[in-house]
Amino acid sequence: GAGVSQSPSNKVTEKGKDVELRCDPISGHTALYWYRQSLGQGLEFLIYFQGNSAPDKSGLPSDRFSAERTGGSVSTLTIQRTQQEDSAVYLCASSLSTSGASEQYFGPGTRLTVT
Amino acid sequence: GENVEQHPSTLSVQEGDSAVIKCTYSDSASNYFPWYKQELGKRPQLIIDIRSNVGEKKDQRIAVTLNKTAKHFSLHITETQPEDSAVYFCAAIPSGAGSYQLTFGKGTKLSVIP
């Protein structure tokens, strides 16, 4: 079946512009996660959705970052007034279980470059 | 919160040799430890995981060991092949209701030299 998909695959934007990143999880997966991966670094947890609810938003780097999920499916991560330090690969993952202790299926990521 | 340290950051081995990657964690409540493999330009994929009720788990050439007392766990790859070349990430999380934040190590870049 279809895996996790993300769009766009690449995004180049000017500093100060807003960007919206999209994630389509595997159908039926209740849990959805957003991570950020900077060059040569590990995966930094940003936010988790259980259904349409995000119990904890403290992983978001600043108030310029926001995320939502609708219909228990598609999620969007929005970065307002982008800065150069926002440049990274943004990865989305989904899992069948709402417990983090289960396999997470990752999307291909969106590579964001802020010039 | 949880802190996961991973070593080494880079590892080069000859084809056929074994590779070992080690991780330590700080939260004694953590009891689920997955390992993800990320090939260049591709998405991370789970290769093996272990829960705290076992000390070792094997899957063909891959094994993971866990020492809860010392709070460390390791990935062992035997008979390495060029296709094992990738970045490997360890992670830890307390399991149970309400646990959702997987904490990753910074990764180990494994190069298998033919």
Side-chain angles (χ1 to χ4, degrees):
Chain A
V4 178
S5 61
Q6 292 184 247
S7 61
S9 55
N10 281 285
K11 176 72 176 178
V12 180
T13 190
E14 292 181 352
K15 177 182 173 181
K17 300 283 189 182
D18 297 351
V19 295
E20 197 171 272
L21 313 180
R22 177 187 169 108
C23 172
D24 281 88
I26 293 172
S27 178
H29 279 197
T30 306
L32 185 147
Y33 308 80
W34 282 99
Y35 295 91
R36 180 168 69 175
Q37 186 174 30
S38 301
L39 187 62
Q41 298 296 309
L43 284 76
E44 175 190 3
F45 171 85
L46 298 179
I47 193 169
Y48 155 77
F49 285 93
Q50 178 178 324
N52 292 334
S53 300
D56 181 4
K57 300 181 180 180
S58 62
L60 295 174
S62 75
D63 58 8
R64 296 185 294 105
F65 287 71
S66 63
E68 65 174 14
R69 188 180 185 194
T70 55
S73 181
V74 173
S75 176
T76 55
L77 177 70
T78 301
I79 310 173
Q80 295 179 308
R81 305 181 303 281
T82 51
Q83 303 294 312
Q84 288 186 331
E85 60 262 29
D86 299 335
S87 296
V89 176
Y90 289 82
L91 288 162
C92 171
S94 70
S95 68
L96 191 58
S97 168
T98 54
S99 166
S102 60
E103 181 170 2
Q104 295 186 21
Y105 296 82
F106 283 85
T110 293
R111 181 176 297 278
L112 175 65
T113 303
V114 181
T115 61
Chain B
E2 176 65 279
N3 182 50
V4 176
E5 299 283 342
Q6 183 172 348
H7 300 279
S9 57
T10 60
L11 178 61
S12 290
V13 298
Q14 290 292 135
E15 183 178 357
D17 287 350
S18 295
V20 181
I21 302 169
K22 299 181 180 181
C23 289
T24 60
Y25 61 98
S26 60
D27 188 347
S28 58
S30 287
N31 52 12
Y32 174 67
F33 308 92
W35 286 86
Y36 282 82
K37 175 184 180 182
Q38 187 176 28
E39 297 178 38
L40 187 63
K42 297 191 176 180
R43 69 192 76 189
Q45 290 190 303
L46 181 73
I47 54 171
I48 194 167
D49 57 12
I50 190 168
R51 298 181 191 271
S52 61
N53 56 343
V54 296
E56 184 176 7
K57 183 177 179 180
K58 288 184 180 180
D59 183 2
Q60 300 182 341
R61 297 186 296 109
I62 295 173
V64 57
T65 58
L66 171 65
N67 183 326
K68 284 220 72 178
T69 303
K71 291 192 282 189
H72 67 70
F73 57 112
S74 300
L75 178 71
H76 305 252
I77 306 174
T78 58
E79 301 171 23
T80 53
Q81 301 168 3
E83 53 264 39
D84 295 330
S85 295
V87 178
Y88 292 81
F89 294 97
C90 63
I93 186 174
S95 64
S99 296
Y100 51 82
Q101 187 169 341
L102 201 54
T103 302
F104 285 85
K106 292 191 183 301
T108 296
K109 183 178 181 180
L110 174 65
S111 299
V112 179
I113 304 163

